[in-house]
Each structure stands twice: as structure tokens, then as C-alpha cells.
Amino acid sequence: MLHCVLTGFRTKNDDEYHKGNTPLERLPIDMIKAVPIDYMHAVCLGTMKRMLKFWVRGKQSVRIPNEKIYDADKELISLRQYFPSEFVRLPRSLNDIEYWKANEFRTFLL
């Protein structure tokens, strides 16, 4: 099974996943096991971003009601005054979710 996945990675079987060539393909390593999953891309920009966009912009049947989003936005904005100056980004509205950085998704998650 792993050989199939590894071969599929090197032969670029998934057109939606592969954007081009990488020099890492030439390394004699198992790409699946040797490359660690990083928190920022997997959790913050992956899972958290996908879930929030699903809840805020998704189909009507799963979307958070607009009045609840408005309440959450007010709460996020009100929290700004409590953030220390060492924090790079202050909380923003859920309406700006397309422009959020990984740090903002992490802060929202935590």
C-alpha cells in the first residue's frame, strides 16, 4: 500500500494536488514517512480554516446563523483591547476570514 502511495506521489497521479516538480522527489527517501506534517499548514491553515469557512460561508443547512456570526464578530473585536503588544495580529471579523493568516486561525482555535 505504501509503495502505491509513494509511487503515486512521484508519478503525480493526483492532478489537483501536484502543482509542479520539486527537487525533493530526487531524494532516496520515503516522502510519506520522512517529511513531517507541520502544525501551521495542517491545523491552522488546513483544518481550522476549512471548518470556519464551512461554518461561515458554507451551505445554508450547516452555516452559523448571521446573528450568531455578528455576535461572534462583536466579541472578537472587543477582545482586541486585551491582547498584549507582543501579539502580531489582533482579532478580526469572521467576514474577513479569506484574509486571515495562520496566526489568526491559531488564536481563534486556542
Side-chain angles (χ1 to χ4, degrees), residues 4-6 9-10 21 24 27 30 34 36 38 48 53 56 61 63 72-74 89 97 99 107:
C4 180
V5 171
L6 185 58
F9 177 83
R10 292 191 190 277
N21 296 325
L24 297 175
L27 295 174
D30 181 341
D38 79 292
M48 197 67 233
K53 285 181 84 172
V56 174
S61 61
R63 195 180 313 161
D73 279 347
K74 284 195 322 189
R89 299 188 178 277
I97 202 165
Y99 307 106
T107 301

Side-chain angles (χ1 to χ4, degrees), residues 52 54-56 60 62-69 94:
L52 274 175
F54 182 69
W55 292 330
V56 174
Q60 192 68 37
V62 296
R63 195 180 313 161
I64 297 171
N66 286 336
E67 57 273 1
K68 296 290 183 185
I69 291 174
L94 290 170

Side-chain angles (χ1 to χ4, degrees), residues 28-90:
I29 61 172
D30 181 341
M31 298 294 288
I32 307 303
K33 289 185 178 179
V35 179
I37 297 172
D38 79 292
Y39 173 78
M40 183 183 79
H41 288 95
V43 177
C44 300
L45 293 172
T47 305
M48 197 67 233
K49 181 176 185 177
R50 188 175 200 142
M51 287 174 53
L52 274 175
K53 285 181 84 172
F54 182 69
W55 292 330
V56 174
R57 304 263 190 265
K59 293 180 182 177
Q60 192 68 37
S61 61
V62 296
R63 195 180 313 161
I64 297 171
N66 286 336
E67 57 273 1
K68 296 290 183 185
I69 291 174
Y70 176 75
D71 291 343
D73 279 347
K74 284 195 322 189
E75 190 69 30
L76 285 169
I77 301 305
S78 73
L79 290 173
R80 294 174 130 211
Q81 63 184 325
Y82 302 109
F83 271 59
S85 60
E86 291 79 15
F87 277 55
V88 179
R89 299 188 178 277
L90 298 175

